[in-house]
Amino acid sequence: MPQENSAAKVLHHLKQDILKGVFAAGHKLKMSALKERYKVGVNPLREALSQLVVMQLVQVQDQRGYRVCPVTQSELVDIYDTRARIESLCVGLAIVRGDDAWEAGIVAAAYQLQANADLLKADGDIQAWEQLHQQFHYSIVQGCGSKELLRVRLDLYEKASRYRNLWLQHNAGHGAFDVNQMEHEQLVKATLARDAELAKKLISQHIQVPSQVLRDLL
Amino acid sequence: MPQENSAAKVLHHLKQDILKGVFAAGHKLKMSALKERYKVGVNPLREALSQLVVMQLVQVQDQRGYRVCPVTQSELVDIYDTRARIESLCVGLAIVRGDDAWEAGIVAAAYQLQANADLLKADGDIQAWEQLHQQFHYSIVQGCGSKELLRVRLDLYEKASRYRNLWLQHNAGHGAFDVNQMEHEQLVKATLARDAELAKKLISQHIQVPSQVLRDLL
DNA sequence: TTTTAAACTAATGTCGAAATTTTAATACCT
DNA sequence: AGGTATTAAAATTTCGACATTAGTTTAAAA
């Protein structure tokens, strides 16, 4: 098993902590506090923070350390709008390029998501549901076959995570999940029917849902 | 004047050196050599390298240091294909959203590029020409108004730079510049006429040109 | 009371060196 | 000879300490 270095480990944990909201937007990331929390020295920490700066999750001020990037309404709208366009691009390409295995993967992921939806909803295990949800959407876009496009998509997904977690938190218990499930069925139907125009329209709307809700909240 | 730290300075220089081909694809980046070249300690170096890893210009192998990412034909094709699609997206949005100032900016940048093209071609100052070329295309896509989309575009542009420099090197002195100039005129015409479909088609083809040539070279 | 300056505290950024791991070179055995 | 174990050299990664800079409190002067 490849033993990754301290910087890689702290990067993973720190990133999750920021995305999950453990460190709120604008929070000052003091070296002493982070050293304490992750049990590492300053140098691995600085490496991890440097990487988070490139990912635009952390800001750096010269000689004044690091802080979590602020969240703004305009960035929220921009990210979700751009995500919708990129995901549309992926879906359109996947419909053109996807083969039998791709179709089978979609059906499998859709089944998994639906089968576990009620269970997880009852448990309140939103993270597990989000995992299946992500897997479902990935099974579709994966058919586009472009590593670069999929990476752009992933970057935007992660950048949206902080906002999405606010939404999940706000919408826990609401009927949004059932609407969500219906949208998924329509999307699968349009995708397998290779109806690119409809599928692109559906995925675009589906992605924008949290944005609509959160817009008034920020 | 904000004095940036060592890591930021070395990041800039090292990145340029990789993009310009000073360090070839696959080249091992030894700490001792980099320390010597950039006159800094190992820690700022590791911070810069960490950031280049996120930008996918450098690979890291645990306990085995860093090396410049390899270049492959499949990545070349993927990057240029994805760039064409993203740039199309930007152009389409800019045509819908662009205002008078946007139009004026395009005309100005196009004039600058054309006015200096012959001069720079004679001098062989390709870097200066590339600067104006980049400015010209940015003046168009800038009208899309989406920071996220423009950032994705910039990331892909930089990732393509290593391949583009191979192309510029290979095509110095050829008649490609004149063809290029004609494509620009058509693009400006279609864009200012707000003909989205034509402009998107033109920019997509324009971007793919180096890819076509390089495909056989790698 | 307000303003300015100075001293003190705390945090960041950098270097040199130690500890760990990989790479190579050499010797050894079948 | 071929392959394996041993040893030495080189490179990466991490820590501790120091210099530098920012932020805060205290004190003095207007």
Side-chain angles (χ1 to χ4, degrees):
Chain A
M1 182 153 103
Q3 46 177 6
E4 56 185 356
N5 59 19
S6 302
K9 275 183 287 194
V10 69
L11 169 64
H12 179 254
H13 288 131
L14 182 49
K15 184 174 167 185
Q16 291 306 317
D17 283 343
I18 290 173
L19 295 183
K20 298 247 167 83
V22 175
F23 296 115
H27 185 267
K28 179 78 191 294
L29 295 165
K30 285 197 198 141
M31 289 296 171
S32 50
L34 298 180
K35 261 172 60 177
E36 175 72 20
R37 182 177 177 91
Y38 301 108
K39 310 291 180 194
V40 292
V42 291
N43 295 46
L45 263 177
R46 288 182 63 86
E47 286 179 35
L49 287 165
S50 296
Q51 302 197 53
L52 290 168
V53 169
V54 178
M55 298 178 197
Q56 299 194 310
L57 293 175
V58 166
Q59 283 181 337
V60 57
Q61 288 178 287
D62 233 77
Q63 311 287 357
R64 285 182 225 181
Y66 300 86
R67 62 177 58 238
V68 181
C69 279
V71 297
T72 67
Q73 198 196 36
S74 63
E75 195 195 54
L76 160 72
V77 172
D78 193 7
I79 288 177
Y80 273 88
D81 187 65
T82 304
R83 276 193 69 211
R85 293 180 199 282
I86 298 293
E87 193 95 0
S88 277
L89 215 56
C90 295
V91 169
L93 281 171
I95 285 176
V96 172
R97 298 178 181 168
D99 57 8
D100 289 353
W102 168 70
E103 290 183 5
I106 294 173
V107 174
Y111 176 80
Q112 285 259 1
L113 181 57
Q114 186 158 18
N116 290 291
D118 297 327
L119 198 72
L120 294 171
K121 197 161 52 170
D123 290 0
D125 192 348
I126 297 180
Q127 289 303 325
W129 176 84
E130 178 57 26
Q131 179 71 27
L132 288 174
H133 186 214
Q134 193 188 345
Q135 179 60 40
F136 165 69
H137 284 294
Y138 180 75
S139 75
I140 295 176
V141 298
Q142 173 264 348
C144 81
S146 167
K147 285 184 187 173
E148 295 298 322
L149 203 49
L150 289 174
R151 169 162 154 89
V152 167
R153 174 186 176 274
L154 183 61
D155 286 348
L156 286 167
Y157 172 83
E158 291 189 339
K159 248 193 119 176
S161 291
R162 285 193 301 165
Y163 296 98
R164 180 176 43 256
N165 282 328
L166 289 176
W167 173 68
L168 285 171
Q169 199 172 318
H170 180 259
N171 263 45
H174 291 52
F177 284 92
D178 299 320
V179 176
N180 209 286
Q181 194 58 38
M182 221 166 62
E183 291 174 349
H184 289 161
E185 287 167 21
Q186 292 179 328
L187 176 60
V188 170
K189 199 173 159 191
T191 302
L192 294 183
R194 309 267 175 173
D195 186 342
E197 284 314 304
L198 179 57
K200 287 171 75 167
K201 189 177 143 200
L202 288 172
I203 190 60
S204 185
Q205 289 173 351
H206 180 65
I207 284 188
Q208 298 266 17
V209 169
S211 178
Q212 309 277 334
V213 179
L214 280 170
R215 179 176 285 177
D216 305 323
L217 212 80
L218 275 179
Chain B
M1 182 157 98
Q3 48 178 11
E4 56 186 357
N5 60 18
S6 301
K9 275 183 286 195
V10 70
L11 169 64
H12 178 254
H13 289 131
L14 182 50
K15 183 174 168 185
Q16 291 305 317
D17 283 343
I18 290 172
L19 295 182
K20 299 248 166 85
V22 175
F23 295 115
H27 185 267
K28 178 79 191 295
L29 295 166
K30 287 200 197 131
M31 289 297 170
S32 50
L34 298 180
K35 259 172 63 174
E36 174 72 19
R37 181 177 179 90
Y38 302 108
K39 312 291 182 193
V40 291
V42 291
N43 297 50
L45 262 177
R46 289 182 62 85
E47 286 180 34
L49 287 165
S50 296
Q51 302 196 56
L52 289 169
V53 169
V54 178
M55 298 177 197
Q56 299 194 312
L57 293 174
V58 166
Q59 282 180 337
V60 56
Q61 286 179 287
D62 234 77
Q63 310 288 1
R64 288 183 218 183
Y66 299 86
R67 60 178 59 238
V68 180
C69 279
V71 298
T72 66
Q73 198 195 37
S74 64
E75 194 195 55
L76 160 72
V77 172
D78 193 6
I79 288 178
Y80 273 88
D81 187 64
T82 305
R83 275 194 69 210
R85 293 179 199 282
I86 298 293
E87 193 94 0
S88 277
L89 215 56
C90 294
V91 169
L93 281 171
I95 285 178
V96 172
R97 297 178 181 168
D99 57 8
D100 290 353
W102 168 71
E103 291 183 4
I106 293 173
V107 174
Y111 176 81
Q112 284 257 1
L113 179 58
Q114 185 157 20
N116 290 290
D118 297 328
L119 198 72
L120 294 171
K121 197 162 52 172
D123 290 359
D125 192 347
I126 296 179
Q127 290 304 326
W129 176 83
E130 178 57 26
Q131 179 71 26
L132 288 174
H133 186 214
Q134 192 189 347
Q135 179 59 40
F136 165 69
H137 284 294
Y138 181 75
S139 75
I140 295 176
V141 298
Q142 173 265 347
C144 80
S146 167
K147 285 184 186 173
E148 295 298 324
L149 203 49
L150 288 173
R151 170 163 153 87
V152 167
R153 173 185 176 275
L154 183 61
D155 286 348
L156 286 168
Y157 172 83
E158 291 189 338
K159 249 193 115 175
S161 291
R162 284 193 302 166
Y163 296 98
R164 181 175 44 255
N165 282 329
L166 288 176
W167 173 69
L168 286 171
Q169 199 172 317
H170 181 259
N171 262 46
H174 290 51
F177 285 92
D178 300 320
V179 176
N180 209 286
Q181 194 59 39
M182 221 167 62
E183 290 175 348
H184 290 161
E185 286 168 21
Q186 291 179 329
L187 177 60
V188 169
K189 199 172 158 191
T191 302
L192 295 183
R194 310 269 174 170
D195 186 342
E197 284 313 305
L198 179 57
K200 287 171 76 168
K201 190 177 141 199
L202 288 171
I203 189 62
S204 185
Q205 289 173 350
H206 181 65
I207 284 187
Q208 298 266 17
V209 168
S211 178
Q212 309 279 333
V213 178
L214 281 171
R215 178 176 285 176
D216 306 323
L217 213 80
L218 274 180

